[in-house]
Protein backbone atom coordinates (compact mmCIF):
# COMPACT_ATOMS: atom_id res chain seq x y z
CA UNK A 1 0.00 0.00 0.00
CA UNK A 2 1.34 3.44 -0.82
CA UNK A 3 1.69 6.35 1.67
CA UNK A 4 -1.83 7.73 0.97
CA UNK A 5 -3.51 4.48 2.01
CA UNK A 6 -4.74 3.76 -1.52
CA UNK A 7 -4.57 0.15 -2.64
CA UNK A 8 -3.53 -0.34 -6.25
CA UNK A 9 -3.35 -3.39 -8.49
CA UNK A 10 0.43 -3.38 -8.07
CA UNK A 11 0.25 -3.91 -4.29
CA UNK A 12 1.39 -7.44 -3.33
CA UNK A 13 -1.70 -7.95 -1.17
CA UNK A 14 -3.99 -7.03 -4.05
CA UNK A 15 -2.13 -9.35 -6.42
CA UNK A 16 -2.42 -12.20 -3.90
CA UNK A 17 -6.14 -11.48 -3.51
CA UNK A 18 -6.62 -11.50 -7.30
CA UNK A 19 -4.82 -14.86 -7.59
CA UNK A 20 -6.97 -16.32 -4.81
CA UNK A 21 -10.16 -15.14 -6.50
CA UNK A 22 -9.00 -16.59 -9.82
CA UNK A 23 -8.36 -19.95 -8.15
CA UNK A 24 -11.81 -19.92 -6.53
CA UNK A 25 -13.44 -19.05 -9.85
CA UNK A 26 -11.70 -21.99 -11.59
CA UNK A 27 -12.88 -24.38 -8.86
CA UNK A 28 -16.44 -23.10 -9.13
CA UNK A 29 -16.38 -23.51 -12.90
CA UNK A 30 -15.17 -27.13 -12.53
CA UNK A 31 -17.85 -27.83 -9.93
CA UNK A 32 -20.62 -26.35 -12.08
CA UNK A 33 -19.48 -28.35 -15.09
CA UNK A 34 -19.60 -31.67 -13.22
CA UNK A 35 -22.39 -31.24 -10.69
CA UNK A 36 -25.86 -32.64 -11.21
CA UNK A 37 -29.08 -31.17 -9.84
CA UNK A 38 -30.58 -33.13 -6.95
CA UNK A 39 -34.30 -33.73 -6.85
CA UNK A 40 -35.68 -34.98 -3.53
CA UNK A 41 -32.20 -36.14 -2.51
CA UNK A 42 -31.63 -38.14 -5.71
CA UNK A 43 -29.39 -37.54 -8.72
CA UNK A 44 -30.74 -38.44 -12.18
CA UNK A 45 -28.44 -39.44 -15.02
CA UNK A 46 -28.84 -39.84 -18.75
CA UNK A 47 -28.06 -43.15 -20.44
CA UNK A 48 -24.95 -41.62 -21.96
CA UNK A 49 -23.66 -40.63 -18.51
CA UNK A 50 -24.35 -44.10 -17.09
CA UNK A 51 -22.65 -45.81 -20.04
CA UNK A 52 -19.62 -43.59 -19.61
CA UNK A 53 -19.40 -44.27 -15.87
CA UNK A 54 -19.86 -48.04 -16.20
CA UNK A 55 -17.90 -48.27 -19.46
CA UNK A 56 -20.79 -49.97 -21.25
CA UNK A 57 -21.85 -49.74 -24.85
CA UNK A 58 -25.20 -48.07 -25.45
CA UNK A 59 -26.50 -51.34 -26.92
CA UNK A 60 -25.57 -53.34 -23.80
CA UNK A 61 -27.15 -50.73 -21.56
CA UNK A 62 -30.29 -50.70 -23.70
CA UNK A 63 -30.45 -54.48 -23.27
CA UNK A 64 -30.26 -54.04 -19.47
CA UNK A 65 -33.19 -51.66 -19.70
CA UNK A 66 -35.20 -53.94 -22.00
CA UNK A 67 -34.75 -57.06 -19.88
CA UNK A 68 -35.54 -55.27 -16.60
CA UNK A 69 -32.03 -55.29 -15.16
CA UNK A 70 -32.14 -51.54 -14.56
CA UNK A 71 -35.05 -49.31 -13.60
CA UNK A 72 -35.65 -46.11 -15.55
CA UNK A 73 -37.99 -43.18 -16.05
CA UNK A 74 -39.32 -42.31 -19.47
CA UNK A 75 -40.67 -38.81 -19.85
CA UNK A 76 -41.64 -38.10 -23.41
CA UNK A 77 -38.65 -39.26 -25.42
CA UNK A 78 -36.17 -38.72 -22.59
CA UNK A 79 -35.00 -41.65 -20.44
CA UNK A 80 -33.44 -40.99 -17.03
CA UNK A 81 -31.88 -43.25 -14.43
CA UNK A 82 -31.64 -42.68 -10.69
CA UNK A 83 -28.11 -42.91 -9.43
CA UNK A 84 -29.39 -44.94 -6.47
CA UNK A 85 -30.95 -47.49 -8.84
CA UNK A 86 -27.62 -47.89 -10.62
CA UNK A 87 -25.93 -48.56 -7.28
CA UNK A 88 -28.66 -51.05 -6.31
CA UNK A 89 -28.25 -52.89 -9.63
CA UNK A 90 -24.50 -53.14 -9.13
CA UNK A 91 -24.89 -54.45 -5.58
CA UNK A 92 -27.54 -56.97 -6.66
CA UNK A 93 -25.23 -58.37 -9.32
CA UNK A 94 -22.11 -58.42 -7.16
CA UNK A 95 -20.44 -61.80 -6.83
CA UNK A 96 -17.69 -61.71 -4.21
CA UNK A 97 -14.70 -63.99 -4.46
CA UNK A 98 -15.39 -66.96 -2.27
CA UNK A 99 -12.62 -68.30 -0.10
CA UNK A 100 -11.44 -71.81 -0.76
CA UNK A 101 -11.67 -74.24 2.19
CA UNK A 102 -7.88 -74.21 2.55
CA UNK A 103 -7.91 -70.39 2.85
CA UNK A 104 -10.11 -70.31 5.98
Amino acid sequence: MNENGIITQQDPQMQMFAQLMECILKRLERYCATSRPILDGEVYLTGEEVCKQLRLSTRTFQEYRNNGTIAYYKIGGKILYRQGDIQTMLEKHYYPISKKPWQL
Side-chain angles (χ1 to χ4, degrees), residues 8-93:
T8 65
Q9 288 182 340
Q10 287 71 37
D11 287 325
Q13 291 174 327
M14 191 61 181
Q15 289 178 352
M16 190 183 315
F17 177 74
Q19 287 175 347
L20 178 63
M21 294 307 293
E22 210 171 293
C23 181
I24 290 171
L25 179 62
K26 286 179 184 177
R27 286 183 180 191
L28 280 172
E29 287 171 347
R30 278 196 309 260
Y31 173 77
C32 289
T34 60
S35 70
R36 301 290 305 181
I38 297 176
L39 181 61
D40 198 26
E42 191 65 58
V43 174
Y44 293 85
L45 305 167
T46 65
E48 183 179 308
E49 291 168 323
V50 176
C51 286
K52 187 176 179 181
Q53 287 181 2
L54 298 180
R55 294 190 174 114
L56 294 172
S57 70
T58 53
R59 180 69 186 120
T60 299
F61 195 63
Q62 180 182 355
E63 195 60 37
Y64 289 170
R65 188 177 65 237
N66 293 345
N67 67 23
T69 302
I70 184 68
Y72 63 94
Y73 293 93
K74 186 172 184 179
I75 304 167
K78 184 80 168 176
I79 297 176
L80 297 173
Y81 305 88
R82 279 195 314 197
Q83 194 171 39
D85 289 341
I86 303 297
Q87 184 65 37
T88 300
M89 178 199 65
L90 290 173
E91 290 171 3
K92 180 179 176 186
H93 292 91

